[in-house]
Each structure stands twice: as structure tokens, then as C-alpha cells.
Amino acid sequence: MADVVDVPRTRVSAGLVPEFQGRAVCLVGRVHKIHPTGTSFILTDGDGKNVTVEMSNPLDEELSGVVEVVGKVTQKATIKAAYYTPFREDKNSFDLGLYHEAVCILHEFSQYYPFGITGDN
């Protein structure tokens, strides 16, 4: 999964995940359910849609709240996580609905927000 860390990642919502099979993505959502083995969990995005996130190794910490996941979309339209980052919401809550609107704008006006551009271009 090191290749996912080294390439540009497109921010997506759960509804867009199937369109990005085999590509690196970044998804932000609220933890809905964790598999008892800790090898996967379900995120709910700002539109209320779910996506399954698969882990290479079982979770070694309690995971809840809003999480950003970076990984590669599988043929099953799940995300194989390279890493995840929990958001702290102890002082401010994260507005998933507003974030979802921003992701939609990125995709609707992709000519202004090109994906895959790096600092080397």
C-alpha cells in the first residue's frame, strides 16, 4: 500500500467509490460499525451513504467519530486502507454535510480542481 501514499488521491464520497476502482482515494466519514475482528469498519459519509473500509491488520485502538481514510478502491467497491486519521471533535464538531457538498463541488467543477496534479507538474 506504499504506492497509495506516494500518489495523488482524489477526495470522494461513498457514492463515488465504485467509479474509482483500482485508484487511490481519500474519504471522510463517521464510523458506523466495526467488524468484531477489527479487520474492517463501515463509514457513513455526509450524504448518509455507507462504504466498507478493509484493514491490512486489525485495529489496535478504539475507533469512533469522524475518520479520514486513505486507500485504494477494490473491485468490490470497498476501500483497502493504507492509513486512517481520526478527527478530534472534543472542541468543535466536524460538519460532514458541508464536507460532502465541498467534495461534490470538486467533482462538478473538476476543470478548476484537477485531480492528479502534483507539485512537480
Side-chain angles (χ1 to χ4, degrees), residues 1-10 20-27 54 56 68-74 78-84 118:
M1 292 303 276
D3 60 325
V4 172
V5 177
D6 298 331
V7 299
R9 306 168 285 284
T10 303
F20 288 86
Q21 288 185 10
R23 293 171 42 194
V25 297
C26 176
L27 184 132
E54 300 174 355
S56 298
E68 178 182 65
V69 173
V70 172
K72 187 178 274 191
V73 178
T74 69
T78 62
I79 298 175
K80 183 71 171 179
Y83 65 90
Y84 65 89
T118 64

Side-chain angles (χ1 to χ4, degrees), residues 34 59-63 84 86:
I34 299 175
L59 292 167
D60 59 358
E61 64 181 332
E62 185 176 325
L63 193 61
Y84 65 89

Side-chain angles (χ1 to χ4, degrees), residues 9-17 19-20 23-27 99-115:
R9 306 168 285 284
T10 303
R11 293 195 173 272
V12 296
S13 61
L16 293 172
V17 168
E19 298 176 29
F20 288 86
R23 293 171 42 194
V25 297
C26 176
L27 184 132
Y99 179 82
H100 175 74
E101 288 181 34
V103 170
C104 290
I105 289 169
L106 289 174
H107 288 272
E108 184 177 347
F109 298 101
S110 59
Q111 70 271 26
Y112 302 113
Y113 304 102
F115 302 114

